């Protein structure tokens, strides 16, 4: 089938068919525009491998829920890093910035006696201040982001040690913040949230289609839109059906069912930042600066302001990630945000499909990459691999992802798609 032409108000509009849309998609892939496809394929393959090796544990409802909690902290940090990477910059301090913000929250809750709303606000404000300082040093002073954030990486370790009195562990009290990355929603609320998510997604797809059609712009075939809605609906509903099963070891003592609270938190930030990057002038400016900063400057875009803002968003999301890390552990210590947290977060963004060279990436890449990292770590743990082997395997996956990105950019340059 070929594309057809319609006349709308005297203007000829190309209306692609499903077949032509698929041909265009294949053409983009051949031209180097791979997007998240390698990460999605990798996630499917890894899931099948670990599921085949440990079917009784890997595919259990309890392990499935654990994957959400395991990935929540690093996925939040990775979402913020997406903004920084889109400009071709790097933030090496995000892991320990998360730890510092988590420590601020814990200290305000315990030693200072503040309530949860103020403690949560304090952690987020700390993240905003950190990002503002980093962004100012990069954009206004002109220090390379690698140097600035490497210095901050070292300094924040010291700040975290000083906040915790050279190594003590601070446990956070029971409450909303402690349950944020440990507990689950009631079954009724889980299904209500799932159905609402499907309805909202379908509505957004419909409004986008109608808006483009009203402006006589090229629209996606209705068949593709319906397939996308059906696919997302199936994914959400099947996931909800699995997570609402009983997963407690002894249900008579305490029942454990429902979607982890971390799941809607991740989903909420995914929707927010996807909207910001894809539907606002600010998002267009971020992509413009990441693609060609000098051209963006000549077009009147405030480049320095954009540079500062991405570090503010990055550190803000590091604070959210720190809150999720502290919630899952139930405490904060000198290792919070350290160890492999930063590497896994950067790895999640890159593995998901975001380019290290700037100008290409989406927030969904952080979620997909975070899922890949969580599946690798979880699956290899269930298969009794050592920590060393898990690090090696994750490093190889990251190297492959960076290699795919470099080859795709080379292919895109050769075909004139970039």
């Amino acid at each position: 089938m070929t594309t057809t032409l319609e006349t709308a108000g005297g203007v000829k509009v190309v209306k692609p068919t499903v077949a032509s849309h698929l041909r265009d998609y294949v053409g983009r892939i051949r031209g180097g525009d791979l997007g998240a496809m390698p990460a999605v394929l990798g996630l499917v393959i890894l899931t099948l491998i670990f599921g085949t090796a440990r079917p009784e544990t890997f595919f259990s409802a309890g392990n499935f829920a654990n994957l959400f909690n395991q990935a929540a902290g690093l996925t939040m940090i990775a979402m913020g890093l997406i903004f920084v990477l889109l400009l071709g910059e790097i933030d090496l301090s995000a892991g320990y910035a998360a730890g510092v913000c988590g420590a601020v929250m814990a200290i305000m809750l315990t030693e200072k006696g503040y309530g949860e709303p103020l403690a949560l606000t304090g952690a987020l404000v700390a993240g905003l201040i950190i990002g503002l300082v980093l962004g100012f040093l990069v954009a206004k002073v002109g220090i390379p982001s690698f140097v600035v954030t490497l210095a901050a990486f070292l300094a924040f370790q010291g700040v975290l040690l000083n906040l915790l009195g050279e190594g003590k562990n601070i446990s956070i009290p029971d409450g909303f913040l402690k349950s944020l990355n440990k507990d689950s929603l009631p079954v009724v609320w889980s299904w209500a949230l799932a159905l609402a998510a499907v309805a909202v997604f379908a509505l957004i797809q419909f409004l986008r289609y109608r808006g483009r059609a009203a402006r006589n712009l090229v629209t996606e075939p209705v068949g593709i839109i319906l397939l996308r809605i059906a696919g997302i609906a199936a994914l959400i509903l099947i996931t909800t059906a699995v997570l609402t099963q009983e997963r407690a070891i002894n249900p008579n003592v305490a029942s454990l069912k429902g979607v982890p609270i971390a799941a809607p938190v991740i989903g909420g930030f995914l929707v927010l930042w996807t909207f910001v990057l894809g539907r606002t002038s600010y998002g267009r400016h971020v992509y413009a600066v990441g693609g060609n900063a000098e051209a963006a400057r000549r077009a009147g875009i405030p480049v320095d302001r954009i540079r500062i803002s991405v570090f503010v968003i990055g550190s803000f999301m590091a604070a959210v990630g720190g809150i999720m890390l502290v919630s899952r552990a139930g405490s904060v210590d000198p290792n919070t945000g350290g160890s492999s947290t930063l590497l896994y977060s950067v790895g999640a963004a890159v593995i998901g499909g975001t380019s290290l060279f700037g100008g290409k990436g989406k927030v969904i890449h952080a979620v997909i990459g975070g899922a890949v990292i969580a599946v690798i770590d979880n699956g290899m743990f269930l298969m009794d691999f050592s920590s060393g082997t898990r690090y090696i395997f994750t490093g190889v996956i990251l190297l492959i992802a960076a290699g795919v990105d470099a080859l795709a950019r080379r292919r895109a340059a050769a075909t004139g798609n970039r």
Side-chain angles (χ1 to χ4, degrees), residues 26-102:
V26 172
R28 290 197 301 271
I29 292 176
R30 289 177 176 175
D33 185 8
L34 300 178
M37 186 188 69
V40 173
L41 290 177
L43 181 61
V44 172
I45 292 171
L46 289 168
T47 300
L48 291 175
I49 291 174
F50 293 132
T52 303
R54 292 289 186 273
E56 69 286 351
T57 51
F58 186 80
F59 283 133
S60 67
N63 190 58
F64 196 26
N66 182 56
L67 285 172
F68 281 95
N69 299 128
Q70 190 174 345
L74 68 90
T75 299
M76 292 299 175
I77 299 172
M79 283 186 188
L81 288 173
I82 294 288
F83 285 82
V84 178
L85 293 174
L86 280 173
L87 264 60
E89 305 285 0
I90 189 66
D91 185 357
L92 300 175
S93 68
Y96 275 111
V100 168
C101 295

Side-chain angles (χ1 to χ4, degrees), residues 275-287 301 306:
F275 175 81
V276 168
L277 280 180
R279 308 292 293 179
T280 66
S281 59
Y282 171 78
R284 291 190 289 273
H285 290 171
V286 170
Y287 282 112
I301 295 174
I306 295 295

Side-chain angles (χ1 to χ4, degrees), residues 196-287:
V198 172
V200 170
F201 181 78
L203 179 62
I204 290 173
Q205 295 296 309
F206 170 73
L207 292 176
R208 182 181 299 172
Y209 175 85
R210 192 177 69 171
R212 292 185 65 85
R215 297 193 300 273
N216 294 327
L217 299 174
V218 177
T219 60
E220 290 183 311
V222 175
I224 294 294
I225 295 174
L226 292 176
L227 282 174
R228 183 182 297 123
I229 293 173
I232 294 298
L235 178 64
I236 292 175
L237 297 178
I238 291 173
T239 299
T240 304
V242 172
L243 292 174
T244 50
Q245 295 178 14
E246 182 62 67
R247 54 182 187 268
I249 297 176
N250 191 348
N252 294 324
V253 176
S255 179
L256 182 57
K257 295 188 288 186
V259 173
I261 298 175
V265 174
I266 294 172
F269 278 107
L270 172 62
V271 171
L272 169 65
W273 296 126
T274 298
F275 175 81
V276 168
L277 280 180
R279 308 292 293 179
T280 66
S281 59
Y282 171 78
R284 291 190 289 273
H285 290 171
V286 170
Y287 282 112

Side-chain angles (χ1 to χ4, degrees), residues 304-320:
D304 286 350
R305 209 176 303 166
I306 295 295
R307 280 187 172 146
I308 293 173
S309 69
V310 297
F311 281 96
V312 171
I313 292 173
S315 294
F316 173 82
M317 290 308 296
V320 177

Side-chain angles (χ1 to χ4, degrees), residues 123-213:
L124 297 178
V125 170
L128 292 174
I129 293 173
I130 288 171
L132 190 61
V133 172
L134 295 179
F136 178 83
L137 292 173
V138 172
K140 295 298 186 181
V141 181
I143 306 174
S145 60
F146 179 88
V147 177
V148 170
T149 58
L150 178 61
F153 169 84
L154 298 172
F156 289 155
Q157 292 183 61
V159 172
L160 185 57
L161 283 171
N162 286 333
L163 286 174
L164 299 178
E166 294 295 333
K168 69 179 180 181
N169 181 301
I170 299 179
S171 297
I172 60 174
D174 292 337
F176 170 74
L177 292 177
K178 191 169 184 177
S179 67
L180 192 59
N181 198 21
K182 296 182 78 171
D183 293 346
S184 300
L185 297 170
V187 172
V188 173
W189 282 104
S190 298
W191 279 110
L193 184 66
L195 294 173
V198 172
V200 170
F201 181 78
L203 179 62
I204 290 173
Q205 295 296 309
F206 170 73
L207 292 176
R208 182 181 299 172
Y209 175 85
R210 192 177 69 171
R212 292 185 65 85

Side-chain angles (χ1 to χ4, degrees), residues 15 38 323 334 354:
K15 184 178 180 180
I323 292 167
T354 297

